[in-house]
Amino acid sequence: MTPMAVTSPRVQNDLQQGSDLEARITASLNSLSRIVHLASEAAVSQLCQYTLAYCVYQRLVLPPLKNSAPRLHRRIENTLPLLELSIPAGASGSLIALRQAYFTLRILETCNDAFISRYGQPLIDHDPATANIVIQTLLGDDAIRIDEQIEALIHNPDALINHYPSGASATTVTRICQPWPCLSASLGLSSQLL
């Protein structure tokens, strides 16, 4: 699955209408340039496309979870409407879409870490850590509030995952044998952190 290959007109429209997103990106450029490689002449538009692709990826990664991790899928789907209760006043559609994507992909990052440590393979097809750091930087203090909601929501990540790889043993911890692609790099911005 290539996140950039699929576009969601609704998400794209929401993000492109959000001048607050461009303002957030512009205000965060210095910090973001320490996290990912940016083309200085097109950094703002590059990051706008990146956030669009991040939101599209969130919409693509949820449906497969319905079969592989139904409890986790239900928990995310049931909690997304509650996330709207803490939306900052005057938030645009772009900020709402970005908050929902960050919420979902941070939950998946947390559960995925538990899944890897237990079964030695990832639950999802891309490592979202760097991408989540980029979006966390854009959301600022709002990301802290979302992370607090995630902490309250997930006490035991293992309990939310009931898809186990064939032949996997819960008592055996193995290493990931194949490179796990970085979501940030697949969205077009390679990490400065690695």
Side-chain angles (χ1 to χ4, degrees):
M1 167 172 41
T2 306
M4 295 295 284
V6 178
T7 59
S8 167
R10 181 174 161 244
V11 173
Q12 189 168 9
N13 187 43
D14 285 348
L15 288 171
Q16 288 176 342
Q17 287 181 0
S19 61
D20 65 333
L21 179 61
E22 285 186 18
R24 284 173 183 268
I25 289 171
T26 302
S28 302
L29 274 177
N30 190 34
S31 297
L32 292 171
S33 67
R34 295 180 191 142
I35 301 167
V36 289
H37 295 281
L38 296 170
S40 58
E41 65 281 350
V44 174
S45 65
Q46 189 178 22
L47 282 160
C48 282
Q49 286 301 312
Y50 181 89
T51 57
L52 167 64
Y54 180 87
C55 291
V56 168
Y57 180 74
Q58 177 249 351
R59 307 247 172 152
L60 292 174
V61 80
L62 273 178
L65 288 177
K66 199 169 197 172
N67 294 325
S68 63
R71 281 180 267 173
L72 177 59
H73 183 269
R74 270 192 312 277
R75 180 73 55 95
I76 292 169
E77 287 289 317
N78 292 339
T79 308
L80 280 173
L82 298 175
L83 186 64
E84 294 182 19
L85 297 175
S86 64
I87 293 174
S92 67
S94 62
L95 183 58
I96 293 167
L98 201 56
R99 291 174 91 248
Q100 289 178 344
Y102 176 73
F103 176 79
T104 301
L105 293 176
R106 277 289 293 124
I107 287 176
L108 290 176
E109 180 184 0
T110 301
C111 289
N112 198 61
D113 290 346
F115 196 77
I116 288 171
S117 70
R118 191 166 194 178
Y119 299 108
Q121 65 185 54
L123 177 65
I124 57 177
D125 57 354
H126 286 84
D127 175 7
T130 301
N132 285 340
I133 292 170
V134 169
I135 303 305
Q136 181 181 47
T137 302
L138 288 176
L139 291 174
D141 290 342
D142 194 25
I144 295 168
R145 288 186 290 278
I146 294 171
D147 286 336
E148 287 169 354
Q149 287 178 306
I150 292 168
E151 291 285 326
L153 185 68
I154 301 181
H155 299 292
N156 182 5
D158 283 339
L160 294 174
I161 303 166
N162 64 348
H163 163 75
Y164 304 108
S166 59
S169 166
T171 59
T172 305
V173 177
T174 58
R175 304 188 89 168
I176 299 174
C177 298
Q178 54 191 339
W180 188 29
C182 172
L183 177 60
S184 188
S186 75
L187 299 181
L189 295 177
S190 59
S191 176
Q192 294 266 62
L193 303 173
L194 304 175

